Amino acid sequence: MNKYTLSVLVFCAGAFLMDATPAKAQIFFNNGAQVYAAPGSIVQINGGFQDDNAVAGPGVVDNEGDMTVTSNGAWPGNIWISNTATLQGNGKYHLDQDWINDATFTCNNSTVDMYGNKAEYITSNNFTVSTFDTLMLSGTGAYGTINARKIQTLNANVVGALILNDRQLWTKTNTMFVNTTTVSAVTNNP
C-alpha cells in the first residue's frame, strides 16, 4: 500500500490500522473515524491534523506510535481536537505549531513535543484544559525572543514530566500545574 492509497483510505473508508509504513498528507482531517496507529508506526503529516467529530462515529484517534505534524505553506502544523472527538494513546506527538484542544485529549503515557521555531500556543477555543503526561519544549528559535516561547492561553496540567530544555514557557496570567511528586518532574537544559 503506498502513501497516497493510505490517505485515500483514511478519508473514504473511515477506519484503518497503520503499520510501520510512513503516511504523508497535506492535512489530515478525521471526521468521526476510529483511527489506530500501532506501536512502532510513523505518521508524518505535512500541513496539520484535525481530529473532529461533526458528522459521524465516535471520532477516536488512538496513537501508540510516533506522529509528527509540520507546517506546509498555507497549512499550519497544528494539532486541533474539535467537537466531540477524542485523541488518546501512549505515543509521541511532535508539532511545530499550536496545540488546540476543544474536545478530549486523554494523555495516557504519551509525550507531546512542541518543537517549532516560532511562538507556539497551548490553547482552546472553548476553554478546554489540556492534561499532558510528558510535555517537552524544544526548537531552535533564538533564545530570549518570541520564537523561543511556548505560550499558554489557559491553564494546563502535566502529570508526568515538563521538559523545558532552553525554551520559555510563557503562562501569562495562567498556570501550568505539575501534578506529580517526582522531584525531577521539571527539567531544563539552558
Side-chain angles (χ1 to χ4, degrees):
M1 175 182 303
N2 68 38
K3 61 186 173 187
Y4 304 107
T5 304
L6 184 57
S7 296
V8 170
L9 284 174
V10 170
F11 298 117
C12 296
F16 68 99
L17 295 177
M18 297 192 75
D19 60 15
T21 305
K24 295 184 180 186
Q26 290 292 79
I27 187 166
F28 187 125
F29 180 82
N30 177 35
N31 195 7
Q34 289 192 24
V35 179
Y36 178 74
S41 65
I42 297 170
V43 180
Q44 174 71 43
I45 302 169
N46 298 323
F49 169 63
Q50 183 177 351
D51 188 17
D52 198 291
N53 195 25
V55 174
V60 176
V61 173
D62 186 354
N63 176 29
E64 303 296 332
D66 198 324
M67 177 187 291
T68 300
V69 181
T70 64
S71 58
N72 185 11
W75 298 103
N78 298 335
I79 291 179
W80 182 15
I81 313 161
S82 57
N83 289 311
T84 58
T86 299
L87 180 60
Q88 65 186 24
N90 297 308
K92 294 181 181 175
Y93 303 88
H94 308 276
L95 67 150
D96 74 356
Q97 287 190 355
D98 301 339
W99 176 271
I100 308 163
N101 183 6
D102 293 336
T104 303
F105 173 62
T106 305
C107 66
N108 298 339
N109 293 314
S110 65
T111 297
V112 174
D113 177 14
M114 299 182 79
Y115 74 93
N117 297 323
K118 59 183 175 181
E120 294 176 277
Y121 291 84
I122 299 170
T123 191
S124 174
N125 297 306
N126 62 10
F127 305 104
T128 301
V129 173
S130 290
T131 297
F132 303 98
D133 182 72
T134 300
L135 178 61
M136 181 168 32
L137 310 181
S138 58
T140 59
Y143 182 78
T145 69
I146 189 78
N147 293 339
R149 289 184 183 160
K150 313 309 177 186
I151 303 167
Q152 284 180 233
T153 64
L154 70 163
N155 292 341
N157 304 298
V158 170
V159 295
L162 176 59
I163 304 167
L164 298 170
N165 291 307
D166 67 344
R167 305 292 87 188
Q168 300 165 358
L169 179 61
W170 193 30
T171 59
K172 295 183 171 184
T173 60
N174 304 294
T175 303
M176 174 61 76
F177 296 94
V178 180
N179 299 315
T180 179
T181 57
T182 305
V183 175
S184 60
V186 179
T187 61
N188 71 328
N189 184 14

